[in-house]
């Protein structure tokens, strides 16, 4: 039997209009960017990035909101020299070039670490002399390649156990604790202008681990070893900002070194809700304020600015929503917490400024065509995402002007590469075909 497309009356169309969950990024465009707020306070505000994503909305936010970029993985040993003597600089170069084109600094990360090393290095059998030469050569090659283009290097990463003893790694086991001074000295020779840091996690407050780092830096300074700063990673848990954070930053500053918050994220047990997001805002504001309070706290970098580019969900099951932007690039309360601590007057996007309307312009006995129109009045978008849940088994078979995925009854659609921008007073429409059987009720609608 030939299927017959039947038009719907205007009344039927209006009855099928619905407002969908809409994530509204960049509605904060009128606010002063974080990078400018940081500059006014003498702070560099940075983010870790993935090179392949530095286009579209992701690239726009990375380029406009931040004054420093850290390659999340692209400069680690396993990325740049996966086979001995065979180098891959493509993503690292991409990030450095992007930063320079956007007037940004680059924070190099990381030259010496026990993780994400190539198999040939990890599984090799090396004498101390060979291991020392490998260390020297790697630093000379990588830091030398980017000489004059990197503001600061996390030279040595995660050297300590939680109790303040040295972590038993390839480097410590083969070269002793002297590998740290050796790495710093090699980095200074390779790029005399770059600031050289020792970076670690769980050293944000005063504790055994941070005291061991303090004592190491003090000793290195006394020996004349080139160490310019300490990096406090700050991978924190909701509601657990250390009460001694500012005190700890200050004691390192009193040693005559700079301090950077290098990898800030604040994870929460999922799902996120209003109360958790409010606490996260307070936590981000507290960390930023502690840095602002100490003149030698020179940099605050978030470890990925969007939840869609965060390591947390895959590393800590059941936790996530750790960054200042949600997965659809909308600024979360955490964004405004950072901005407020930097002295900014922020204006969250007005409720209802951007909406999405669902309609069914045609329907037949086995399927239908649907449209969704995203409209803004009083705000604007640089990208968008809409979601809804079907109530009668409808299944999307094809979409255009959006990328749509369906899991069970839940549908999620995000903008195409060319239509993410919705100006104030403008609109964007996408469409789809779907199957139905028996009934085709309007989806449950929620405005987010």
């Amino acid at each position: 039997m030939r299927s017959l497309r039947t038009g719907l009356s205007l009344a039927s169309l209006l009855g099928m209009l619905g407002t969908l969950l809409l994530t509204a990024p960049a509605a904060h465009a009128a606010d002063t960017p974080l990078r400018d707020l940081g500059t006014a306070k003498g702070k560099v505000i940075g983010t870790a990035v993935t090179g392949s994503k530095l286009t579209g909305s992701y690239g726009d936010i990375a380029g406009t909101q931040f004054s420093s970029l850290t390659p999340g993985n692209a400069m680690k040993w396993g990325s740049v020299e996966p086979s001995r003597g065979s180098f891959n600089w493509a993503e690292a170069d991409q990030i450095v070039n992007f930063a320079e084109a956007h007037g940004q600094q680059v924070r190099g990360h990381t030259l010496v670490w026990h993780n994400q090393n190539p198999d040939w290095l990890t599984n090799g059998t090396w004498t101390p002399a060979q291991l020392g030469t490998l260390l020297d050569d790697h630093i000379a090659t990588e830091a030398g390649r980017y000489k004059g283009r990197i503001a600061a290097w996390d030279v040595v990463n995660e050297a300590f156990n939680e109790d303040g003893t040295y972590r038993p790694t390839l480097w410590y086991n083969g070269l002793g604790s002297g590998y740290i001074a050796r790495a710093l000295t090699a980095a200074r020779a390779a790029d005399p202008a770059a600031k050289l840091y020792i970076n670690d996690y769980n050293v944000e407050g005063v504790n055994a681990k941070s005291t061991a780092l303090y004592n190491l830096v003090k000793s290195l300074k006394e020996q004349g070893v080139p160490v310019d700063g300490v990096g406090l990673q700050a991978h924190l848990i909701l509601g657990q900002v250390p009460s001694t954070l500012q005190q700890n930053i200050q004691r390192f500053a009193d040693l005559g070194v700079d301090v950077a918050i290098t990898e800030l994220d604040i994870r929460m047990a999922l799902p996120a809700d209003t109360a958790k997001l409010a606490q996260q805002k307070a936590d981000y504001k507290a960390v930023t304020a502690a840095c602002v309070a100490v003149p030698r706290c020179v940099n605050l970098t978030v470890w990925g600015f969007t939840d869609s580019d965060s390591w947390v969900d895959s590393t800590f099951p059941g936790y996530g929503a750790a960054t200042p932007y949600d997965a659809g690039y909308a600024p979360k309360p955490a964004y405004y917490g950072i901005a407020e601590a930097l002295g900014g007057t922020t204006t969250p996007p007005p409720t209802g400024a951007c909406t999405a309307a669902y309609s069914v312009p045609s329907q037949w006995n086995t399927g239908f065509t649907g449209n969704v129109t995203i409209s803004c009045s009083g705000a604007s978008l640089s990208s968008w995402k809409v979601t809804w849940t079907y109530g009668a088994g409808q299944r999307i078979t094809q979409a255009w002007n959006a990328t749509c995925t369906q899991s069970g009854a839940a549908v999620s659609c995000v903008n195409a590469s060319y239509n993410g921008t919705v100006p104030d007073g403008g609109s964007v429409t996408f469409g789809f075909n779907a199957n139905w059987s028996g009934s085709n009720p309007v989806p449950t609608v929620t405005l987010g």
Side-chain angles (χ1 to χ4, degrees), residues 72-74 76-80 109 113-119 122:
N73 291 296
K76 292 170 181 173
W77 199 326
S79 297
V80 300
H109 180 83
W113 191 27
H114 63 277
N115 270 336
Q116 291 183 245
N117 288 318
D119 289 342
T122 302

Side-chain angles (χ1 to χ4, degrees), residues 266-325:
I266 302 176
R267 63 188 181 270
M268 64 181 69
L270 297 174
D273 58 31
T274 301
K276 292 175 187 176
L277 292 172
Q279 179 64 57
Q280 187 182 55
K281 175 183 178 179
D283 290 348
Y284 267 96
K285 187 172 182 177
V287 173
T288 307
C291 184
V292 168
V294 181
R296 292 203 72 154
C297 185
V298 297
N299 177 298
L300 184 144
T301 290
V302 294
W303 201 246
F305 63 84
T306 170
D307 291 342
S308 63
D309 195 38
S310 174
W311 72 303
V312 168
D313 301 68
S314 61
T315 307
F316 301 98
Y319 284 80
T323 77
Y325 286 75

Side-chain angles (χ1 to χ4, degrees), residues 253-279:
D254 291 343
L255 285 178
V257 296
D258 291 337
V259 180
I261 307 295
T262 55
E263 304 181 23
L264 175 62
D265 53 31
I266 302 176
R267 63 188 181 270
M268 64 181 69
L270 297 174
D273 58 31
T274 301
K276 292 175 187 176
L277 292 172
Q279 179 64 57

